[in-house]
Amino acid sequence: LSTTSQPSGLLELVADKTLALDDLKVIPRDVTMAVAARLDLAKVYQRVLEQVGKVEPQAAAMIEQNVSGMTAQLGFDVQMDLLASLGDVWTAFNTTAEGASQWTGIVATVSIRDKAKLTEVHGKLLQMAKQIPKEQAPFEIRESKIRGLDVYNVVVKGPVPVSPAWCITEDKLIVAASLQ
């Protein structure tokens, strides 16, 4: 997508930088489906808030107030700590390697802009999840080491075909439908 003038409105959300071949290296050769894109969630959040403010200033103020309340409750700022720590290169693919099925082989990745900040946010979210009494929680979060990485997965109580898993590498957040 290209334009001869400065993008405005929703087009401002289109990345001004194209994907590079290195951005696609995370996608295995044996995939049955793959997509890759650039999307800066921190920028999207800011633009959406600005546009809402232009249409309805009170709505933007209310959103900011709600986000401030969430920040106090979560112990981190969603925009500055979580969204800003994520990069802008996203991939999603489906692989049936290692016995994964059509649904359990879905994997998504996002590049990391600030690993230290993302790791801090991740720790706070894990701590919150661990504070839910086991008898009340509809899930359990398990931690394991795979290839030297701390990998987490959610085991949902009941017959659910997926068990979401994730890990933070040096440069990517990887989320998968299953631990496989």
Side-chain angles (χ1 to χ4, degrees):
L1 181 65
S2 66
T3 179
T4 56
S5 63
Q6 186 67 24
S8 62
L10 289 177
L11 286 179
E12 286 181 298
L13 301 178
V14 176
D16 54 354
K17 195 168 134 185
T18 60
L19 288 168
L21 190 56
D22 279 351
D23 296 329
L24 306 177
K25 286 186 177 179
V26 69
I27 301 172
R29 293 180 185 266
D30 66 343
V31 300
T32 56
M33 174 281 306
V35 294
R38 282 196 181 273
L39 180 68
D40 187 335
L41 284 183
K43 190 176 178 181
V44 169
Y45 175 87
Q46 188 60 43
R47 293 287 185 262
V48 167
L49 200 57
E50 288 170 5
Q51 294 303 318
V52 167
K54 287 179 182 177
V55 175
E56 181 56 56
Q58 288 179 327
M62 193 167 73
I63 291 169
E64 287 180 353
Q65 184 179 10
N66 288 339
V67 170
S68 289
M70 278 181 26
T71 297
Q73 191 173 24
L74 294 172
F76 63 87
D77 184 297
V78 173
Q79 181 184 9
M80 298 307 296
D81 296 332
L82 176 59
L83 300 181
S85 69
L86 298 174
D88 65 349
V89 176
W90 295 76
T91 67
F93 53 88
N94 186 15
T95 179
T96 54
E98 300 184 35
S101 74
Q102 181 177 351
W103 298 107
T104 61
I106 297 172
V107 178
T109 71
V110 61
S111 58
I112 296 174
R113 191 175 282 131
D114 187 336
K115 182 182 178 186
K117 198 168 275 195
L118 181 61
T119 301
E120 181 182 337
V121 167
H122 179 257
K124 289 178 181 181
L125 289 171
L126 271 180
Q127 194 60 35
M128 287 176 64
K130 288 178 181 178
Q131 289 177 354
I132 300 171
K134 285 190 179 203
E135 57 278 351
Q136 292 178 356
F139 61 87
E140 175 186 348
I141 297 177
R142 296 182 183 164
E143 183 178 348
S144 54
K145 280 262 193 220
I146 300 176
R147 296 183 188 165
L149 294 170
D150 293 324
V151 179
Y152 304 85
N153 77 299
V154 176
V155 179
V156 180
K157 295 176 183 173
V160 179
V162 294
S163 179
W166 68 94
C167 71
I168 298 172
T169 69
E170 281 304 310
D171 61 347
K172 288 183 184 26
L173 169 61
I174 302 171
V175 180
S178 73
L179 190 57
Q180 281 177 307

